[in-house]
């Protein structure tokens, strides 16, 4: 063990990007708090597998308990059913499978999607397209709806695409709206999108993988207007809720459709049916199920609702502080509205200059930023999400960025 641990320090740690470091300010920064790490360790020690209720009742029941709390703390509808998958990509794939089931119950049997179409904005995460590929709807039947100047899906463009597809004999099946897009954290107009979904009888999925955590603080609830009308929604505690990889929460108001899409019975998995017992294997592809709810439970109990809301608030404050510094420097510009804890910004120069700035900042090894492309321009991306990140780290990032201009 001594030799293994020495090799861990020598070989593994230096080759690891330190996501748990407070200077990690890239992508959607997050952290695994000590409480979450302890929950993860204890889950490994129990090694429970929640295939069905009786194979580890705690795995199934704690999942229901924690997701009920999360629903209550986030102001989401009380009747929603929730379960935990590994990632938002998996959650959204299951949403698409359920939408397919709702639109075409025969598809489960014959295996093709027969002209079903999924709509999502051109700023949405690639997982929607991937999910459509996995479920057999296919890339060609995913429409990238244009966005407005603030990177939000345009409802008028959505409606026009749906009409065009109907005229061509295709069948609109799902709209995947995003609350907190990957590049800019833009918020799609969910109320208007929900109206369109209702008009055409189309499944509404909300991808709030990152921003879902912000619903814990009432001042950010504006971003979730209309989400109560969604058929499904995903948010990732492993993105902004201080839970270690992996933990993605999937809610649906129509669990019976998801269940219909996936439940098959086998003699070797038969359970003496207590009708109150939920068998989570009936709601998706995986049979085996890790005890992910344990780490979520540790985090929710140790921070409490107020503690988590305070953390979200502080991260947003730090992002706004950074954006203020950028705006005050005439050489730079903020490239998208700062709704949550992410700032997109650029040096008012060429893509090449911005690329060089990012390389210099990251090469120093103190902080780590990432990049995206907005309106065709290379843009720097700073995200606050680690529980140990303080003004000191964000100020240091800004000093390094300014220093990198002068080179
Ligand atoms: C909006 C959004 N949805 C989905 C995902 C995919 O998340 P996961 O890695 O959990 O599949 C991301 C990843 O950053 C994201 O930003």
């Amino acid at each position: 063990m001594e030799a293994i641990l020495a090799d861990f320090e020598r070989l593994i740690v230096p080759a690891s990007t330190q996501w748990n470091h407070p200077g990690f300010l890239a992508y959607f920064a997050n952290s695994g708090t000590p409480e979450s790490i302890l929950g993860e360790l204890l889950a490994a020690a129990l090694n429970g597998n929640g295939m069905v209720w009786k194979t580890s009742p705690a795995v199934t029941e704690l999942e229901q308990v924690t997701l009920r709390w999360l629903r209550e703390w986030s102001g989401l509808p009380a009747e929603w059913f929730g379960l935990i998958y590994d990632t938002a990509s998996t959650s959204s794939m299951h949403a698409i499978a359920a939408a397919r089931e709702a639109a075409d119950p025969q598809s489960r049997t014959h295996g093709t999607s027969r002209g079903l179409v999924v709509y999502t904005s051109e700023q949405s995460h690639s997982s929607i397209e991937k999910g459509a590929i996995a479920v057999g709807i296919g890339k060609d039947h995913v429409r990238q709806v244009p966005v407005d100047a603030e990177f939000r899906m345009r409802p008028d463009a959505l409606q026009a695409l749906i009409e065009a597809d109907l005229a061509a004999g295709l069948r609109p099946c799902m709209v995947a709206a995003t609350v907190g897009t990957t590049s800019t954290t833009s918020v799609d107009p969910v109320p208007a999108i929900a109206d369109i979904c209702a008009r055409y009888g189309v499944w509404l999925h909300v991808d709030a993988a990152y921003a879902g955590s912000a619903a814990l603080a009432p001042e950010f609830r504006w971003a979730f207007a209309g989400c109560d009308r969604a058929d499904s929604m995903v948010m990732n505690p492993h993105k902004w809720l201080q839970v270690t990889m992996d933990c993605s929460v999937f809610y649906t108001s129509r669990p019976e459709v998801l269940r219909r899409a996936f439940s098959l019975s086998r003699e070797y998995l038969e359970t003496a049916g207590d009708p109150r017992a939920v068998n989570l294997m009936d709601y998706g592809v995986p049979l085996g199920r890790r005890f992910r709810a344990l780490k979520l439970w540790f985090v929710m109990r140790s921070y409490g609702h107020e503690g988590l809301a305070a953390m979200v608030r502080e991260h947003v404050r730090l992002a706004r502080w950074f954006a203020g510094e950028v705006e005050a420097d005439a050489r730079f510009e903020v490239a998208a509205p700062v709704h949550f804890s992410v700032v997109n910004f650029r040096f008012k120069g060429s893509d090449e200059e911005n690329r060089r700035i990012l390389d210099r900042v990251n090469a120093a090894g103190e902080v780590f930023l990432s990049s995206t492309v907005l309106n065709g321009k290379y843009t720097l991306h700073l995200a606050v999400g680690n529980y140990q990140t303080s003004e000191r780290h964000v100020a240091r990032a800004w000093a390094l960025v300014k220093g990198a201009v002068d080179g």
Side-chain angles (χ1 to χ4, degrees):
M1 188 48 67
E2 225 169 81
I4 297 170
L5 287 174
D7 279 353
F8 172 77
E9 292 286 350
R10 190 173 63 87
L11 300 170
I12 307 300
V13 174
S16 299
T17 304
Q18 302 296 327
W19 280 76
N20 244 357
H21 191 283
F24 187 104
L25 300 165
Y27 310 108
F28 283 138
N30 62 12
S31 46
T33 61
E35 299 82 4
S36 179
I37 293 167
L38 184 56
E40 185 85 68
L41 274 170
L42 293 176
L46 288 171
N47 199 23
N49 186 341
M51 301 187 300
V52 290
W53 182 87
K54 75 171 180 185
T55 60
S56 193
V59 172
T60 299
E61 300 215 359
L62 198 65
E63 204 162 300
Q64 298 304 300
V65 170
T66 49
L67 299 199
R68 175 165 53 80
W69 292 353
L70 193 59
R71 222 167 40 213
E72 287 168 2
W73 295 6
S74 308
L76 296 171
E79 64 280 5
W80 278 7
F81 173 79
L83 69 163
I84 301 180
Y85 294 119
D86 53 358
T87 59
S89 303
T90 301
S91 293
S92 289
M93 184 201 74
H94 282 87
I96 297 168
R100 186 184 82 156
E101 174 71 22
D104 181 5
Q106 299 303 318
S107 61
R108 189 162 24 109
T109 313
H110 59 60
T112 60
S113 72
R114 298 193 302 185
L116 298 180
V117 184
V118 169
Y119 304 80
T120 192
S121 96
E122 53 191 21
Q123 285 288 319
S124 77
H125 190 260
S126 54
S127 52
I128 303 300
E129 207 170 325
K130 236 190 220 183
I133 294 169
V135 165
I137 286 176
K139 221 162 122 64
D140 284 354
H141 283 179
V142 178
R143 305 280 177 257
Q144 314 273 350
V145 183
V147 294
D148 66 14
E150 293 193 4
F151 309 102
R152 301 170 294 200
M153 187 193 290
R154 277 177 37 209
D156 61 316
L158 170 65
Q159 166 125 5
L161 283 166
I162 290 177
E163 286 291 344
D165 283 331
L166 285 170
L170 297 172
R171 296 188 299 159
C173 152
M174 172 204 257
V175 178
T178 313
V179 173
T181 55
T182 310
S183 280
T184 70
T185 75
S186 61
V187 175
D188 286 340
V190 177
I193 294 170
D195 286 345
I196 294 173
C197 287
R199 194 172 315 138
Y200 293 99
V202 166
W203 187 285
L204 172 59
H205 176 59
V206 175
D207 179 356
Y210 153 74
S213 301
L216 292 168
E219 65 269 37
F220 299 113
R221 291 271 171 86
W222 62 267
F224 301 89
C227 287
D228 56 334
R229 296 167 66 193
D231 297 285
S232 58
M233 177 166 167
V234 56
M235 66 82 65
N236 276 5
H238 78 229
K239 279 202 183 348
W240 197 9
L241 214 59
Q242 312 309 309
V243 172
T244 54
M245 271 294 287
D246 48 10
C247 186
S248 177
V249 170
F250 179 78
Y251 285 117
T252 178
S253 58
R254 299 168 72 185
E256 73 291 350
V257 180
L258 184 65
R259 191 168 193 282
R260 219 167 54 215
F262 286 106
S263 86
L264 298 169
S265 62
R266 290 290 183 270
E267 309 75 44
Y268 46 80
L269 291 170
E270 215 139 79
T271 52
D274 180 335
R276 292 170 306 174
V278 173
N279 292 322
L280 292 169
M281 71 160 188
D282 289 337
Y283 296 90
V285 173
L287 169 63
R289 173 169 294 270
R290 300 203 311 117
F291 200 173
R292 296 188 183 90
L294 193 60
K295 57 191 175 184
L296 180 58
W297 189 61
F298 268 62
V299 168
M300 293 182 83
R301 289 196 57 183
S302 56
Y303 277 77
H305 182 178
E306 265 317 307
L308 288 169
M311 184 214 54
V312 162
R313 250 175 229 129
E314 174 61 6
H315 290 172
V316 176
R317 186 187 74 78
L318 292 174
R320 287 183 181 153
W321 179 86
F322 186 89
E325 294 296 303
V326 172
E327 266 163 359
D329 189 322
R331 296 170 301 168
F332 287 86
E333 62 189 340
V334 173
V338 178
H339 297 305
F340 305 108
S341 68
V342 169
V343 185
N344 285 283
F345 65 104
R346 57 190 318 280
F347 178 68
K348 292 177 187 163
S350 67
D351 283 1
E352 211 31 63
E353 284 169 297
N354 278 284
R355 220 173 253 123
R356 219 168 23 239
I357 289 170
L358 184 65
D359 286 347
R360 283 192 186 129
V361 168
N362 286 347
E366 284 184 64
V367 300
F368 184 44
L369 309 187
S370 57
S371 65
T372 188
V373 173
L374 295 178
N375 295 322
K377 291 180 179 167
Y378 189 86
T379 303
L380 308 177
H381 178 105
L382 174 138
V384 184
N386 185 289
Y387 79 111
Q388 295 187 94
T389 299
S390 66
E391 202 159 306
R392 176 165 67 88
H393 304 98
V394 179
R396 183 66 187 140
W398 178 230
L400 286 164
V401 168
K402 285 190 296 183
V405 173
D406 306 322

